[in-house]
């Protein structure tokens, strides 16, 4: 059975949550493979609002195995809060259907403090992180001092690692950042309390997935953030600290890349970005205001207003290459309804030269000017269309042009927030 990877092709917030929710119907299990509770999406099902940051949205459907892979950095307090939020809405997070990788690294309270202190110190040059401790937790993983989920089950190892970590981080917090330090006992006691709650969910996830795939089950790998926030292929240093691209679906969940069959890139019909860093098509005019207002472009995690702009085909071409996209889900096409003209950035220009690809040096991107192609807008709402052929001809032409410019076909088209405002033109789970 096919396995499908879902990734964002822009700067995150492409509407992955809705597509994951939709496609979960065809999968046996859903796995998060990177990021942490910096991600977030809101699901509205039968009038109930679920806000999820860590647990795959499959949890609200019966009998779907939901997994947090080794590539995720996990804040135990945030996870428990989410489990309680779901319980309050009548969704019991059953330990038979929810698993956490024993190999995932933990976000500890000092990681949050470090994240915030660093941003403060950077001042104007700040990255605009979500302040959740994501970066410092990944740093500890790379430095080989990270505390892992499996350590929650071994008090002696946990205490020894916590002791060493605090000696190092408290020194940095106090002497370099002039920030709060942390007491060993308080963190130990609180983490051990949470360990009791989380213990039933801890699992060897790579092994579990290997067995499931061997039994012919279909897996949906759920990426967070977007390609341009990838720690290597994004607009470094204005990126998150994990690999957000499709290859990491294998690495971050403990399976090999040969089991990833369909790479589905979620692509918004225009561009948005939260936080600092280059964004060539950003608009500060009435159209930007339209996209922000009609698209409801406010972050689900931090409540920050997103920067908005025209579709950038250079960005999505880059995403097609670094992810190896099989197809795209085009989302929020309805937000462009009613605009007189629509524009697409087809290339960049710098010092009189045309640039067709994302420059390897991100500081060059800062200086690039978008080269636009203009197309007529459409007056009737795309939300009325039930089939691709029902779209206003101008909207269909826009979609076709995006396919041409990115070299990737649209397999799913989303024309509104509801589950049924979606056209599945080609189901990634039904084709190998
Ligand atoms: P961090 O992941 O909190 O370290 O933040 C690094 C950058 O990634 C910042 O620009 C954030 O705004 C951005 N970011 C992190 N998570 C998301 C997300 O889920 N959607 C959009 N941007 C994100």
């Amino acid at each position: 059975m096919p396995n499908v990877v879902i990734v964002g092709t822009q700067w995150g917030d492409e509407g992955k949550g809705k597509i994951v929710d939709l496609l979960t119907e065809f999968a046996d299990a859903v796995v998060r493979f990177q990021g942490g509770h910096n991600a977030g999406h809101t699901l509205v099902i039968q009038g109930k609002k679920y806000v999820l940051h860590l647990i795959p949205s499959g949890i609200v459907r019966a009998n779907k195995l939901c997994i947090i892979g080794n590539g995720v950095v996990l804040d135990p307090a945030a996870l428990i809060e989410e489990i309680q939020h779901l319980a309050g809405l009548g969704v019991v997070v059953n330990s038979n259907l929810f698993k956490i990788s024993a190999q995932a690294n933990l976000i500890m309270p000092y990681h949050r403090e470090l994240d915030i202190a660093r941003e403060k110190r950077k001042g104007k040059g700040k990255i605009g992180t979500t302040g959740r401790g994501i970066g410092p937790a990944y740093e500890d993983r790379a430095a080989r001092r990270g505390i892992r989920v499996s350590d929650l089950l071994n008090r002696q190892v946990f205490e020894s690692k916590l002791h060493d970590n605090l000696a190092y981080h408290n020194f940095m917090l106090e002497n370099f950042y002039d920030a709060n330090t942390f007491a060993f006992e308080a963190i130990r006691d609180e983490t051990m309390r949470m360990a009791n709650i989380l213990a039933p969910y801890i699992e060897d996830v790579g092994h579990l997935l290997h067995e499931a795939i061997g039994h012919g089950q279909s897996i949906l790998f759920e990426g967070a953030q977007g390609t341009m926030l990838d720690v290597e292929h994004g607009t470094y240093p204005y990126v998150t600290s994990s690999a957000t691209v499709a290859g990491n679906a294998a690495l971050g969940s403990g399976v090999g890349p040969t089991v990833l069959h369909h790479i589905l890139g979620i692509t918004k019909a225009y561009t948005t970005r939260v936080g600092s860093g280059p964004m060539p098509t950003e608009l500060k005019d009435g159209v930007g205001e339209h996209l922000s207002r009609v698209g409801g472009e406010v972050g689900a995690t931090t409540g920050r207003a997103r920067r908005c702009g025209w579709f950038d085909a250079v960005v999505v071409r880059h995403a097609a290459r670094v992810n190896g996209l099989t197809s795209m889900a085009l989302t929020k096409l309805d937000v462009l309804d009613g605009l007189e003209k629509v524009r697409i950035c087809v290339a960049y220009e710098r010092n009189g030269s045309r640039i067709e690809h994302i420059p390897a040096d991100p500081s060059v991107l800062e200086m690039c000017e978008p080269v636009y192609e203009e197309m007529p807008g459409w007056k009737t709402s795309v939300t009325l269309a039930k089939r691709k052929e029902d779209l206003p001809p101008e909207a269909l032409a826009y979609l076709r042009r995006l396919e041409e410019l990115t070299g990737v076909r649209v397999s799913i088209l989303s024309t509104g927030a509801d589950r049924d405002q979606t056209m599945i033109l080609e189901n990634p789970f039904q084709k190998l």
Side-chain angles (χ1 to χ4, degrees), residues 391-402:
L391 289 171
E394 298 85 356
L396 190 57
Y398 180 72
L399 182 153
R400 293 243 158 87
R401 189 68 186 127
L402 299 191

Side-chain angles (χ1 to χ4, degrees), residues 98-119:
F98 177 57
K99 301 289 181 193
I100 312 165
S101 169
Q103 292 162 279
N105 275 244
L106 294 178
I107 299 180
M108 303 296 288
Y110 45 83
H111 290 138
R112 274 195 304 274
E113 189 73 18
L114 279 164
D115 194 355
I116 293 161
R118 270 195 204 144
E119 286 281 274

